[in-house]
């Protein structure tokens, strides 16, 4: 099936440092969603991007959708210990016969040291 | 608030046993999903359902079946559990259409010995 690559797999940062995770597809995407999963928890929806080049912000989190709609990034400014968790992108593809189905990336696990 | 509940947080079963995992949502969502989550592999879709009695295979349906007799309830069945089905199982629900986010249950960690 279609694959969504997410990098890096792990990231350890000092509290206050920035963090970025990238989501890449070889096929044009229809839209992309981002989820956060805290340790021991379940994925929780963060945001959705639909338009080419779209940028959305949520406090210290900035989400971008590439111009070609084949990649996306999540950037966290000045990380805090509450940012610890695994961040997943989840996509739907253009010209997919079923747009209700999300394809999840492999996730980036973020660890923040105080 | 949307609530998705799963019947067990932890489950230990023996090889060859039939296993039922239950999921219930209270938001009248048409779509329901079953995923398994394994380290380094992310979430992989096993089955999903877009209406009562309707189901569609996901990316890894082998060894699993599902049942959706009522809109709010979606069951995952392991006909004959095997050790390679040891995993975290997550249920999710959503409204139809790509613009709707999925709401996840707390997960069931299944161990098959």
């Amino acid at each position: 099936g279609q694959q969504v690559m997410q990098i890096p797999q792990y990231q350890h940062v000092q509290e206050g440092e920035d963090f970025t995770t990238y989501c890449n597809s070889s096929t044009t995407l229809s839209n992309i969603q981002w989820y956060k999963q805290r340790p021991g928890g379940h994925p929780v929806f963060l945001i959705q991007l639909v338009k080419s080049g779209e940028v959305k912000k949520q406090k210290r989190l900035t989400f971008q959708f590439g111009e070609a709609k084949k990649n996306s990034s999540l950037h966290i400014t000045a990380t805090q210990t509450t940012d610890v968790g695994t961040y997943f992108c989840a996509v739907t593809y253009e010209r997919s016969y079923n747009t209700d189905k999300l394809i999840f990336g492999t996730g980036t696990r973020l660890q923040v040291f105080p | 608030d949307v609530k998705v509940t799963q019947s067990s947080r932890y489950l230990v079963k023996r090889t060859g046993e039939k296993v039922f995992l239950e999921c219930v949502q209270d938001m009248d969502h048409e779509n329901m999903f079953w995923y398994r989550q394994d380290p380094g592999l992310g979430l992989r879709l096993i089955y999903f359902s877009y209406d009562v009695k309707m189901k569609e295979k996901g990316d890894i349906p082998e060894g699993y079946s599902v049942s959706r007799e009522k809109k709010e309830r979606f069951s995952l069945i392991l006909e004959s559990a095997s050790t390679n089905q040891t995993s975290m199982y997550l249920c999710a629900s959503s409204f139809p259409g790509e613009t709707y986010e999925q709401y996840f249950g707390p997960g069931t960690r299944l161990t098959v010995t």
Side-chain angles (χ1 to χ4, degrees), chain A residues 14-98:
Chain A
Q14 202 75 35
E15 191 172 21
E17 291 181 338
D18 292 356
F19 160 77
T20 305
T21 174
Y22 300 90
C23 186
N24 298 301
S25 169
S26 57
T27 311
T28 305
L29 303 172
S30 178
N31 70 28
I32 187 164
Q33 299 178 3
W34 285 93
Y35 291 77
K36 176 183 178 182
Q37 184 176 24
R38 293 181 186 275
H42 57 274
V44 174
F45 174 81
L46 293 176
I47 210 159
Q48 177 170 263
L49 305 171
V50 179
K51 299 176 186 174
S52 167
E54 190 170 15
V55 178
K56 287 188 177 180
K57 294 194 174 191
Q58 287 180 351
K59 296 182 181 177
R60 295 177 295 102
L61 277 62
T62 302
F63 304 84
Q64 287 191 309
F65 204 2
E67 293 289 342
K69 296 185 73 175
K70 288 186 176 181
N71 55 69
S72 179
S73 64
L74 157 59
H75 179 83
I76 303 178
T77 304
T79 54
Q80 300 175 358
T81 54
T82 52
D83 296 324
V84 165
T86 301
Y87 294 84
F88 292 98
C89 61
V91 307
T92 56
Y93 291 94
E94 282 191 351
R95 289 184 283 278
S96 171
Y97 80 98
N98 189 321

Side-chain angles (χ1 to χ4, degrees), chain A residues 9 30-31 33 35 37 40-45 48 88 92 97-107, chain B residues 9 31 33 35 37 40-43 45 48 50 56-57 59 90 96-102 104-106:
Chain A
Q9 193 173 6
S30 178
N31 70 28
Q33 299 178 3
Y35 291 77
Q37 184 176 24
H42 57 274
V44 174
F45 174 81
Q48 177 170 263
F88 292 98
T92 56
Y97 80 98
N98 189 321
T99 56
D100 290 358
K101 197 172 85 167
L102 290 175
I103 308 296
F104 278 80
T106 48
Chain B
R9 277 295 259 153
N31 292 344
F33 307 84
Y35 296 90
Q37 182 175 20
L41 297 177
L43 279 71
L45 182 65
F48 71 102
Y50 47 91
E56 197 162 322
K57 291 180 180 179
D59 298 318
L90 289 160
E98 63 183 12
T99 57
Y100 292 100
E101 68 266 32
Q102 294 187 7
F104 284 83

Side-chain angles (χ1 to χ4, degrees), chain B residues 12-31:
Chain B
V12 180
K13 295 291 181 181
R14 292 190 181 275
T15 301
E17 277 193 88
K18 191 168 186 176
V19 182
F20 292 87
L21 302 182
E22 301 278 326
C23 175
V24 177
Q25 50 94 5
D26 67 356
M27 276 301 290
D28 206 34
H29 285 165
E30 281 83 355
N31 292 344

